[in-house]
Structure formats: C-alpha cells, structure tokens
Amino acid sequence: MEKCLGVISGANIENNFGALCVHRPVYMLPYAGRYRLIDFSLSNMVNNGIRTVAVYTGEKVRSTMDHVGDGKAWDLNRRFNGLFLFPPVSHGLSAKRTGEIPQFYTTRDFFEQAKEKYVFINHPNILAKVDLAEAFKFFRESEADITFIYKKQSDPYGEYVNTQKMNIAEDGEVLNIGTNLGTEREFNMYLKMGFLKKEVFIKLVKEAIERGESDNLLETILINKDKYKINSYEFTGHVENIRNLKSFYDANLNLLKKDIARELFYTNGTIFTKTKDEPSTLYTEDSVVQNSLVANGCVIEGTVENSIIFRGVKIKKGAIVKNSIIMQKSEIHENAAVINSIMDKQGIVGEGIRIAGSMLMPFIVEKKQVIRKD
Amino acid sequence: MIESKVVAMLLAGGQGSRLKTLTKKVAKPAVPFGGKYRIIDFALSNAANSGIDDIGILTQYKPYLLNSHIGIGSSWDYDRNMGGLRILPPFTSEDGGRWYTGTANAVFENIDFLDEMNPEYVLILSGDHIYKMDYSQLLHAHKEKGADVSIAVMEVPWEDASRFGIVNVDEENKIVEFEEKPENPKNNMASMGIYMFNWNELREYLIKDDENPDSDNDFGKNVLPMMLEEGKKMYAWLFDGYWKDVGTVKSYWEANMDLLDPLNTLDLYDKDWRIYTRTRNLPPQYLARGSVVKNALVNEGCYIRGTLKNSILFSDVVIEEEAVVVDSVVHSDCVIEKGARVYRAVVSEGMTVKAGQVIGQEGSENIYLVSEEGISVE
C-alpha cells in the first residue's frame, strides 16, 4: 500500500445535520464516545499501510486543525510523506468554481510530485472497515483504471432512499451510479470510496477543468466512463452511511450491538484518535447503567440506559438518560431527564429539566447550550 | 513557569520487593495504578506540569516495560528538539561496567550528562510515589531562602514517624538534624525524597561521597547528612497534599481504593494538573443490560456483564455474566469468567479467573494477590 496516496474529501451535506454541523464539517461529527467520523477513515488507511494522506478540509477548518493537527495520533507526523491538510483556496480558478475538482486541480503538485502511483479516495461520512490491502490487490490484479467499492445493502423498508446506487454488469464492470429510490429490497450501495490510477486521476481533473462539464469527481468519471476500465469491489462487512441526523443517531446506537461494535472498533486494526488524558470513569453508589457505551473521564451518579456517553460527561444523582447521545463535557444535573436526544459538546441540562425527542427525530441540544428553569 | 535552568533526575530503578509478584516483571515505578496509570506517571506529569524542560530517568531494575512505557516521552510532551527526556541506564566505561549502587551513586555516574546540561539546579525525584506537586514552588522557596539544598517534607501521623527519614528544623524551617527511622522521633516531618540542589554544591558532594569507601552512596543516609555537617544551608519545604508511597501490597490496594472517594485529595479529574500516561487507543467501556456497577473506577475497553462493586478496573477487562468483583483492583487484559467471584483481590495483568472460581473472602482483613504464580494472601 506504500504505492497508494490516501485522499479524504468531505461530503457537502452539512445542511442535513442542523445545529450539529453549524461549526464543524460532517466528517468531524463526534462518534462512538471518543472519536470523530474522520478517525475511522484515517485509521483504516493507516492500518492498511497508506503512509501519505491528503485531507480536503472544506470551509469549516478550525475543528479539523485542532483535532487532526499534524496527524500525530495516526503516526502521520512524518518527516517523509505523512499528512497534508488542504483548506479550500478561493482565488483564481477555484474562486469561480466550487466543488472538489478545482480543489484537486489547485493542489495538483501534491499528486504530481508524490512517488505513489495510485490514489485511494474516500468520504469519511461512510464508515466501513474495508480491508484496503485486499481491495488494492484486487484493483491492481484486475488492471482496472478505477475500482469502486460497494456493499449489497438489504433495504426492505426504504431507509436508504437517496443514497448512491451502483449498477454493475455481470463481469463487475460499473455501468453507472445513480440515486437509490428504494425500488428494490436489496441494492448495491456505493460506499464513496475507490482506487484510481494516479495518471487517470490527474487526467480526469485536468480535462474537467478544461471542459467545465462538472466540478464533481464522480460525475466527471461517469461522463468519461467509456474511456476507462472501471470495475467494482464488494465489501461484505458492516456499513454506517451517515447522511442525516437520523442515520447519525442510529449509527451511534448501533454500537450497543456487540457484533457491530466489535467490527467497527477492532476488525482490521483499532481506531486512533486525539487523546485527551482523561482519568477513568467513576461510577458512584447510586449509578445504574444499562446497555451503554461510556468513555473515560465521566462521573456517573444517575441512571443511563441505551446511550452513548462521551468523554468527561457528568450525570448527577437522580438524573435519567435514555436512548441518547451525550457529547464531550456535557452535564446533566440532579433529577433531570434526557430521553431520545443528542446533546452536543458542553451542553447543560439543569436540575429537574426534562427534555425528550423521539427515536425518529431526536431532540438536539446545541453546543454549549444551557437549559435551565429560570 | 520555571525561570532558571533545572534538570530533574528521576530515580526509577527500584525493585519494590515488598510488592511481591507485582514487581516480578517490572520495576516499582512501572506498577499500574489508579485504573490507567503507572506509578511513574505521577512524577513525570508533575515535572511536565511544573514546566521542567529537561529530565533524566535513571533505570536499572527490569527496565523493559518502563522503557517502552516512557518511549521518547511523547505522552508528557518530552519529545522535543530542545531539552526533553533521556533514559539513563547504568553503562560500561574504560574502567569496567557498574550497577548503580545507591541513589546518590546513580546521579554521580551521570555527572557527565549533568555537566553537559550545565543547570543551575538539580531536582532529585523518585518514581515510586503517588502525589501531585508543583516543583516550581519548591524552586521558588529554594531561591528565596538562598539555600544550598531544599527538601520537600510532609507531616506524617506521629505513630508512623519512625518509619520515615525525619527532618528536624528551627523556626525558619532551616534543617538542623536528620534522623533516619528514629525510634523516638522529635517531630513528624518526614522527608519525601524530593530534593532541590544547587548543581555546583551537589556536584562537589557527589564526588566526595564517591571517594568515601564506607558510604552507601545514598542521598538520605550519606550525602545530605554530610552536607549538613559541613554547614550547608538546608531548608525544609512543607508539602500539604496527598502523598503515598505504596510499599506493600496492602498499602497498594488501599491507595487504589482511596480513588473511589469522589472527594479524595489526589483529584485525578483536575484539568489544570492532568496526570498523563501512554494510551492504548481502546474504544469506550460497555456496560451490558443486567450489569451492576457501583462505586467503581472503570477504564477504556472494559466489557461488563456481571457485578462490580468498590473496585478499580484497568483497561480491556472483561467481567462475564454472573461474575462478581468486590473490593478489588483488576489490572489490564484480565477476564473474570462467568460466575467467578473475586473479593479483596489485586489481580495482575492478563490473568483469567476461571468460571465459578472464588478468590478471597468478603469482610476479610486480608488482601489476595493473584498472579501467574497463584494466589498469595497478604
């Protein structure tokens, strides 16, 4: 995998996450008690031997700078290769045209100068512990120009409407990628990740700039699909396609299922993240915690059920937390109740306050929001 | 904020033989403590938090785990271009190889290192103790008094005073006498083994001490009394806070249990004085339906289906269904199998308590140490 560059390109779907993504890109959403979505993508690349990674950060770059930094947590702070952060530049060409192609074009030196001959592109809002070394082998051996990765997703209830659907010929050739409308019980979900030959990637980007047909890489590939050999690689493991609030909420609560947690946390290597040096979590005499994932640094004096508790959260005596996601350093005071909710970082639910959403539409407490009786 | 150049020398070579099998494979500073730390993390974090830029770590006894735990010091931000952390093991030279024969000898053998650093002050620390201390305050007091040596002391209960090195002072806290483990102590101010020296003075006396064939080359026993005798200005600096020297298995167990009191004075949750350690990158802990967890400190990666009361779990511990763990300290990577019961135990790293096995006894006075060598009663 030393021959392959890793590229993270953020999806432009922040509007789907309401208050949670006012200040952060989607890939920086806190997930699973102590991680950000991007940790899964970065760790999987590093665990599979990719040593040079470019991150196209998008506009909301501050939380990324703070969290990813020089890439130390992923051993990407290297003298040779390592991590490259590309915040959007908006002068010249990319001032007139938005989208990923102008960003790739303005950073083409990075691709041209790298000694790696292949590129792996992925969007961190889709979590899948793909064995990239295996997929890369398939890509190389099949002599394809481009290999897209997909999963056969069963979807009897149409929960995956609006995700990307891949149409594949019998020999695995990719015919097209469109939008899933839920017409089939099972469909091939495109995981927004794939390998490209670097020369093909650079050619596609340059041609797209010249022709102006599209500023989106996938569209560009599909417009030119007849010129290249594009095949598909099936991933059979668990996938979380985090595309809106509901799927974000479900993806967190899914971690309470042992098999899913095992796979996401341990298969193909563990997940690295920026560490916070919190002490262990203290459960007091009054704590009752059932079926919950709890990170370090918490003090739990109340009742917690079916929930994900992030680092440094305080849940006071008599408080009840149920079916909820409580992010870093939030506090739930005495006799408060938080049901079917997502609390963003450092929120406070005051004494005796009760908040509740539904499991279909969780209630959101914004970052640093304080809810108190006055 | 440290304004003068201080080099800390952290003594981390001790065996801690009274900790029995806990130090079978590792030096005492590497013994796990408090759910996620090793004992040395406290001194190292204190040094980092006090703004000390240069630190030498003197290792000797079974150093492998200690070395890999410390690495290049990145957990404490000691991986630096300027200054940073150096591990200083015993070495051979043209006149043969020598082990460190005492605390003072360990520093003496590294005079070349200190000469190269050329500090104004040398701070001697021990990697055996659990406490939080701002060494810059000790330095401040040292400078204010114009002392040659300042020794951190703390008040111990009178009945324990005869177990410590006792420091007798005048009304200005100037030291007038040392008493090593006195039968009838004149006061209860015990030396904590933390010394701030002027480097030029220390250098001189280390050489003098080395020239004396009858010396045990120990700071407390030899070097400090000699300096006092020759009229050096030595002051006691009174420390008021949590401090534990976990000498025995029982005191080790007790010190861990102290942390279950949310109001304990060590306060690991203090954001302004974090204790840092090497992390293992494990996922959060999971508490299953049916689990009972009361009055417990639990670390990342743990998976709990059974009952846990008054206990401390290190990382990646599994407690299976119907298993019960009470009044115990369980180190990393242990598995307490279905229906097993563990009372008043210290379970060493990587052990499996078999299904249905019972260890220890509720309400007993004893502590049960579980290791590869079986169960010993303390």
Side-chain angles (χ1 to χ4, degrees):
Chain A
M1 290 294 280
E2 300 260 321
K3 294 175 185 152
C4 191
L5 293 169
V7 174
I8 289 180
S9 180
N12 263 331
I13 51 171
E14 277 137 43
N15 294 339
N16 299 358
F17 294 86
L20 294 182
C21 283
V22 174
H23 300 290
R24 60 168 78 94
V26 175
Y27 65 80
M28 281 298 294
L29 276 169
Y31 180 67
R34 61 189 295 267
Y35 305 100
R36 306 290 185 134
L37 294 183
I38 196 174
D39 295 344
F40 287 76
S41 159
L42 282 173
S43 303
N44 204 39
M45 286 195 276
V46 168
N47 285 331
N48 279 289
I50 291 178
R51 293 290 175 258
T52 308
V53 175
V55 179
Y56 289 85
T57 61
E59 294 282 348
K60 294 165 185 168
V61 67
R62 285 190 187 159
S63 65
T64 316
M65 300 287 277
D66 177 50
H67 179 74
V68 180
D70 63 353
K72 191 168 185 170
W74 302 270
D75 278 346
L76 287 171
N77 58 334
R78 297 163 80 93
R79 296 186 61 191
F80 308 110
N81 310 320
L83 182 76
F84 294 80
L85 286 185
F86 292 128
V89 275
S90 51
H91 53 79
L93 191 71
S94 43
K96 290 179 231 100
R97 291 169 63 171
T98 54
E100 49 187 358
I101 291 281
Q103 298 300 333
F104 290 143
Y105 180 72
T106 49
T107 52
R108 63 193 179 280
D109 284 357
F110 166 76
F111 295 97
E112 282 167 351
Q113 284 168 14
K115 67 179 186 331
E116 287 89 343
K117 293 199 165 51
Y118 305 95
V119 180
F120 171 70
I121 297 193
N122 70 115
H123 293 246
N125 64 308
I126 294 185
L127 307 182
K129 295 288 284 287
V130 179
D131 185 337
L132 296 179
E134 198 62 36
F136 184 62
K137 207 173 134 203
F138 169 85
F139 163 64
R140 293 294 314 283
E141 282 173 2
S142 65
E143 292 176 351
D145 295 307
I146 300 168
T147 295
F148 286 128
I149 300 173
Y150 72 100
K151 176 188 162 78
K152 280 199 180 110
Q153 181 67 51
S154 132
D155 185 26
Y157 308 112
E159 289 168 89
Y160 288 86
V161 167
N162 286 340
T163 59
Q164 287 175 306
K165 177 174 179 171
M166 218 157 103
N167 302 302
I168 304 169
E170 260 171 40
D171 64 354
E173 188 200 344
V174 174
L175 299 172
N176 226 320
I177 295 177
T179 302
N180 175 41
L181 296 179
T183 50
E184 289 175 293
R185 290 180 73 86
E186 187 184 78
F187 72 105
N188 297 324
M189 183 163 69
Y190 171 47
L191 301 184
K192 293 191 183 175
M193 54 177 89
F195 292 95
L196 296 90
K197 284 181 179 160
K198 190 172 81 179
E199 65 198 63
V200 170
F201 172 79
I202 293 172
K203 192 160 178 254
L204 283 165
V205 168
K206 285 186 174 169
E207 284 176 4
I209 290 291
E210 229 169 29
R211 293 195 193 135
E213 286 159 337
S214 172
D215 285 343
N216 173 286
L217 180 64
L218 180 64
E219 270 177 36
T220 305
I221 293 171
L222 294 176
I223 289 167
N224 294 289
K225 70 178 166 21
D226 297 335
K227 295 182 198 157
Y228 301 104
K229 181 177 174 186
I230 308 176
N231 64 11
S232 55
Y233 178 83
E234 187 189 351
F235 172 65
T236 52
H238 183 75
V239 170
E240 293 294 352
N241 187 337
I242 296 171
R243 59 205 180 276
N244 50 34
L245 262 181
K246 166 78 174 135
S247 58
F248 171 70
Y249 177 71
D250 291 346
N252 270 286
L253 294 189
N254 272 343
L255 292 164
L256 300 176
K257 295 170 190 150
K258 191 177 180 182
D259 296 341
I260 294 177
R262 283 269 131 192
E263 180 173 338
L264 283 177
F265 289 144
Y266 291 105
T267 306
N268 272 324
T270 52
I271 309 300
F272 304 104
T273 189
K274 186 184 178 194
T275 55
K276 294 282 189 203
D277 297 291
E278 298 275 3
S280 298
T281 283
L282 182 68
Y283 299 88
T284 66
E285 198 59 46
D286 302 302
S287 79
V288 178
V289 181
Q290 302 283 288
N291 190 36
S292 294
L293 203 61
V294 184
N296 266 3
C298 300
V299 178
I300 310 227
E301 302 172 74
T303 298
V304 180
E305 222 183 300
N306 303 332
S307 295
I308 310 290
I309 312 294
F310 281 69
R311 295 187 274 207
V313 167
K314 292 193 168 62
I315 298 174
K316 306 274 189 196
K317 258 191 203 174
I320 295 173
V321 176
K322 227 174 154 174
N323 309 328
S324 293
I325 299 162
I326 313 295
M327 293 184 190
Q328 301 91 294
K329 294 184 186 159
S330 290
E331 294 179 20
I332 297 162
H333 290 178
E334 286 81 357
N335 303 315
V338 175
I339 317 244
N340 305 334
S341 299
I342 300 175
M343 271 181 85
D344 203 340
K345 290 167 69 172
Q346 295 160 299
I348 295 178
V349 174
E351 196 177 332
I353 301 282
R354 308 173 84 78
I355 60 169
S358 82
M359 290 191 80
L360 289 173
M361 202 59 233
F363 184 86
I364 308 289
V365 179
E366 290 176 36
K367 186 176 168 183
K368 294 190 178 168
Q369 189 181 351
V370 178
I371 307 181
R372 272 193 229 278
K373 282 183 198 149
D374 31 33
Chain B
M1 186 71 161
I2 297 259
E3 287 150 12
S4 325
K5 179 141 186 186
V6 180
V7 173
M9 296 294 267
L10 176 54
L11 300 161
Q15 179 186 358
S17 53
R18 288 180 301 151
L19 286 171
K20 306 280 171 68
T21 51
L22 286 177
T23 53
K24 186 164 184 281
K25 287 184 187 153
V26 300
K28 181 172 168 188
V31 169
F33 182 81
K36 68 175 291 192
Y37 309 99
R38 297 191 185 269
I39 292 174
I40 196 173
D41 293 341
F42 290 86
L44 270 174
S45 303
N46 287 339
N49 287 331
S50 301
I52 288 175
D53 293 329
D54 292 279
I55 187 163
I57 300 186
L58 300 146
T59 59
Q60 175 150 293
Y61 177 81
K62 299 199 176 170
Y64 165 69
L65 204 147
L66 199 53
N67 289 347
S68 66
H69 178 69
I70 296 168
I72 55 169
S74 40
S75 300
W76 301 269
D77 270 346
Y78 274 123
D79 52 333
R80 305 190 187 180
N81 283 332
M82 287 174 291
L85 172 150
R86 290 89 167 166
I87 290 183
L88 305 169
F91 52 89
T92 60
S93 61
E94 59 280 12
D95 30 288
R98 295 178 295 277
W99 294 108
Y100 295 151
T101 55
T103 51
N105 175 256
V107 179
F108 170 80
E109 290 286 355
N110 289 289
I111 275 185
D112 285 350
F113 163 71
L114 284 166
D115 278 344
E116 198 182 301
M117 306 300 303
N118 193 25
E120 281 175 77
Y121 305 100
V122 171
L123 173 65
I124 306 294
L125 301 171
S126 156
D128 287 357
H129 303 147
I130 293 149
Y131 65 108
K132 296 199 294 194
M133 183 190 284
D134 185 349
Y135 303 132
S136 67
Q137 288 181 18
L138 172 61
L139 178 68
H140 183 72
H142 180 77
K143 286 191 196 169
E144 214 171 54
K145 297 274 187 190
D148 295 313
V149 190
S150 296
I151 299 178
V153 300
M154 64 178 299
E155 288 183 34
V156 294
W158 276 97
E159 61 270 26
D160 294 342
S162 55
R163 292 200 293 117
F164 290 91
I166 295 297
V167 173
N168 294 320
V169 296
D170 67 12
E171 58 284 354
E172 302 237 285
N173 273 345
K174 191 165 184 218
I175 297 171
V176 295
E177 188 187 10
F178 290 108
E179 290 182 290
E180 192 64 25
K181 300 182 182 164
E183 257 178 64
N184 299 303
K186 296 196 192 87
N187 78 56
N188 61 342
M189 294 229 285
S191 164
M192 300 168 70
I194 299 165
Y195 317 117
M196 184 72 76
F197 286 97
N198 292 348
W199 168 230
N200 56 353
E201 299 285 350
L202 175 63
R203 192 178 191 286
E204 184 187 330
Y205 280 89
L206 284 175
I207 293 169
K208 259 192 197 174
D209 175 66
D210 185 62
E211 284 163 356
N212 176 5
D214 300 326
S215 173
D216 289 335
N217 309 121
D218 185 87
F219 278 112
K221 236 191 277 177
N222 311 104
V223 176
L224 293 170
M226 176 164 64
M227 290 178 89
L228 186 65
E229 210 166 281
E230 300 195 5
K232 294 293 159 194
K233 277 169 80 182
M234 304 172 84
Y235 284 87
W237 178 74
L238 190 64
F239 171 74
D240 179 26
Y242 186 96
W243 182 86
K244 266 258 157 85
D245 177 7
V246 287
T248 63
V249 175
K250 193 151 190 185
S251 70
Y252 171 79
W253 177 85
E254 280 165 1
N256 274 286
M257 288 295 151
D258 283 348
L259 299 175
L260 292 176
D261 176 359
L263 300 175
N264 77 77
T265 48
L266 190 60
D267 188 15
L268 295 172
Y269 295 84
D270 180 3
K271 280 197 276 299
D272 296 331
W273 206 268
R274 274 270 185 256
I275 304 303
Y276 306 104
T277 189
R278 187 169 171 214
T279 52
R280 290 182 65 192
N281 286 302
L282 292 167
Q285 51 207 266
Y286 176 75
L287 279 63
R289 196 166 293 288
S291 69
V292 177
V293 177
K294 304 270 183 197
N295 206 18
L297 208 52
V298 181
N299 195 6
E300 287 163 346
C302 288
Y303 195 89
I304 306 178
R305 302 197 89 90
T307 297
L308 180 70
K309 286 181 180 167
N310 274 329
S311 295
I312 292 180
L313 300 190
F314 283 70
S315 54
D316 234 354
V317 174
V318 177
I319 298 186
E320 295 183 354
E321 55 214 316
E322 292 160 43
V324 176
V325 175
V326 180
D327 298 330
S328 295
V329 178
V330 184
H331 289 173
S332 298
D333 304 321
C334 288
V335 180
I336 315 296
E337 290 185 352
K338 191 176 171 183
R341 305 170 83 81
V342 178
Y343 301 99
R344 297 180 66 82
V346 175
V347 185
S348 307
E349 216 160 312
M351 298 298 300
T352 297
V353 178
K354 293 273 173 231
Q357 193 182 348
V358 179
I359 290 170
Q361 209 182 345
E362 208 164 6
S364 153
E365 286 288 293
N366 299 326
I367 300 301
Y368 300 82
L369 176 58
V370 183
S371 70
E372 279 167 11
E373 284 166 36
I375 302 166
S376 69
V377 183
E378 304 294 324

